[in-house]
Amino acid sequence: MNTTGVPAPGSDGATDGSAPRRNSKKPKYSRFTQQELPACKPLLTPGIVIATFAIIGIVFIPIGLISLSASKNVVEVVDRYDADCIPDQLYDDKLSFIRSSETNKTCTRKLVVPKYMKSPIHVYYQLDNFYQNHRRYVKSRSDKQLQTTASEHETKLCEPEGTTADGSAIVPCGLIAWSLFNDTYTFSVNKKATPVNKKNIAWQSDKKHKFGSNVYPKNFQNGALIGGAKLNASIPLSEQEDLIVWMRTAALPTFRKLYGRIEVDIAANEEITVVIENNYNTYSFGGTKKLVLSTATWIGGKNNFLGLAYLTIGGLCLFLALGFITLYFFKPRTLGDPSYLSWNRNPSGSPN
């Protein structure tokens, strides 16, 4: 008989080891979890630091010079036409001009080629102050609808350009497609018509995976307010490359998009006549439009930033290397003994 008030072994309050133990959250020991694996612990001696900076400078400076040289070889002709393509009598009322269906929007521009341009010559349109990266604008599309006819009515994200007044789905829906660029360009060199190849201007991955070959435009630009270009309802979206190029939204408010390619060489000082249909409304938000003709090199189009960046980093590293060399020779410091570092000691605490 137990009169002490302490539960007897084997009773409900027994503590003989049969009670379940609390699960421990302590991880299983391993050299990885305890950070005991071998590691590279370099000593940043003056020689290593100077050599590192010198190597970076020696490698980066030639890359920068080569990049700048390639960019310099790109021939580029840029013509801003949005202001000059408005008649003088309507210059102070640009919105009325661009919104009216009765005004003549044909404009002729003459460009002189400064240097020999080897084909293919890329034709771009450039827009300024156009924020394609606006959150509401970027989200105003239905990727599923673009890919398959089964998702034709998935237009929830496309408002206010998701459905027509009677509830029919718009294909393609959304503000991005609705605002499709619709200026057109016709070229002639020395009064000889020069065609523009508009094939393969879009990414192949977009054509194959993002736009369905059995999806056709439907109810597009049929509303009261027309945003931009219209689409041919008999051509599937996967073949409407102007649309595919436009739907890949730009990250910055100033951007260029590929319009096509001129596949003939143009000699220096030759005159290019461009007939422009000035349809796209950039006047309501203070935007500008430019036509760009550009050749390309292995580095792409004209872009001095990459070369200047390499030159700047390379020059800075060489400057630091020379500075450390000067400091090391005029004010040297005695290095400590690395054998006293914690990872170089044996278990007894003495250096190896």
Side-chain angles (χ1 to χ4, degrees):
M1 181 177 181
N2 186 351
T3 58
T4 61
V6 178
S11 64
D12 291 342
T15 58
D16 59 353
S18 61
R21 299 176 61 185
R22 294 179 61 188
N23 292 329
S24 174
K25 293 184 180 180
K26 181 179 179 181
K28 184 179 179 181
Y29 171 80
S30 70
R31 297 185 67 187
F32 175 76
T33 58
Q34 297 303 315
Q35 300 183 16
E36 294 178 355
L37 293 174
C40 178
K41 300 173 181 177
L43 294 176
L44 297 180
T45 62
I48 293 177
V49 173
I50 292 171
T52 301
F53 279 125
I55 291 173
I56 293 175
I58 292 171
V59 172
F60 274 38
I61 288 178
I63 294 177
L65 292 173
I66 294 172
S67 300
L68 281 178
S69 176
S71 178
K72 185 178 179 181
N73 291 331
V74 174
V75 182
E76 188 175 270
V77 179
V78 181
D79 178 54
R80 177 180 173 181
Y81 63 88
D82 58 286
D84 294 337
C85 284
I86 296 181
D88 293 338
Q89 63 272 22
L90 294 174
Y91 193 83
D92 294 330
D93 195 5
K94 300 181 180 68
L95 289 180
S96 296
F97 164 79
I98 201 68
R99 289 173 176 172
S100 174
S101 60
E102 298 178 357
T103 55
N104 181 14
K105 297 182 174 62
T106 302
C107 174
T108 301
R109 308 285 291 171
K110 295 187 181 296
L111 311 176
V112 178
V113 176
K115 296 169 62 177
Y116 173 76
M117 300 184 76
K118 182 176 177 58
S119 63
I121 300 170
H122 302 274
V123 181
Y124 300 92
Y125 55 89
Q126 176 175 321
L127 299 180
D128 299 317
N129 200 36
F130 191 117
Y131 288 83
Q132 272 199 320
N133 60 350
H134 191 283
R135 180 174 177 270
R136 186 179 179 187
Y137 184 87
V138 171
K139 292 182 65 178
S140 185
R141 61 186 293 165
S142 175
D143 289 321
K144 290 184 178 180
Q145 185 200 61
L146 298 173
Q147 295 170 355
T148 174
T149 55
S151 302
E152 177 181 307
H153 296 281
E154 293 196 19
T155 61
K156 182 178 179 181
L157 296 176
C158 296
E159 296 301 333
E161 292 299 323
T163 57
T164 60
D166 61 0
S168 301
I170 298 174
V171 182
C173 68
L175 292 174
I176 305 177
W178 175 79
S179 60
L180 176 61
F181 187 78
N182 63 341
D183 283 6
T184 60
Y185 312 111
T186 305
F187 296 87
S188 59
V189 180
N190 294 332
K191 299 182 180 180
K192 181 180 179 182
T194 304
V196 177
N197 183 5
K198 297 177 70 67
K199 294 291 185 181
N200 297 320
I201 61 174
W203 290 18
Q204 290 298 319
S205 58
D206 287 354
K207 294 167 62 176
K208 291 181 179 179
H209 304 297
K210 292 188 177 182
F211 294 82
S213 58
N214 62 340
V215 181
Y216 292 83
K218 184 183 296 184
N219 301 317
F220 188 70
Q221 302 288 21
N222 287 346
L225 185 62
I226 305 300
K230 295 187 177 182
L231 298 176
N232 190 333
S234 63
I235 300 177
L237 296 186
S238 61
E239 297 180 16
Q240 309 242 18
E241 297 197 43
D242 284 328
L243 172 69
I244 298 174
V245 171
W246 180 258
M247 293 289 285
R248 181 168 283 276
T249 54
L252 300 175
T254 296
F255 58 87
R256 294 177 181 179
K257 291 186 182 290
L258 186 60
Y259 180 83
R261 299 182 183 90
I262 297 175
E263 297 183 334
V264 295
D265 298 347
I266 302 178
N269 299 319
E270 285 193 324
E271 186 179 75
I272 303 175
T273 302
V274 189
V275 178
I276 302 173
E277 288 296 327
N278 182 27
N279 299 313
Y280 200 69
N281 182 9
T282 58
Y283 308 103
S284 59
F285 56 86
T288 63
K289 296 185 288 188
K290 297 175 183 176
L291 171 64
V292 181
L293 304 179
S294 176
T295 59
T297 61
W298 62 269
I299 202 172
K302 182 176 287 293
N303 185 359
N304 294 331
F305 174 79
L306 185 62
L308 292 174
Y310 271 107
L311 285 177
T312 301
I313 299 300
L316 180 61
C317 287
L318 280 184
F319 174 78
L320 291 174
L322 292 175
F324 283 134
I325 290 173
T326 304
L327 187 64
Y328 181 68
F329 276 104
F330 285 96
K331 289 187 177 181
R333 294 180 62 185
T334 304
L335 296 178
D337 187 354
S339 62
Y340 283 94
L341 294 172
S342 60
W343 55 84
N344 287 333
R345 294 182 181 182
N346 57 33
S348 65
S350 59
N352 292 325

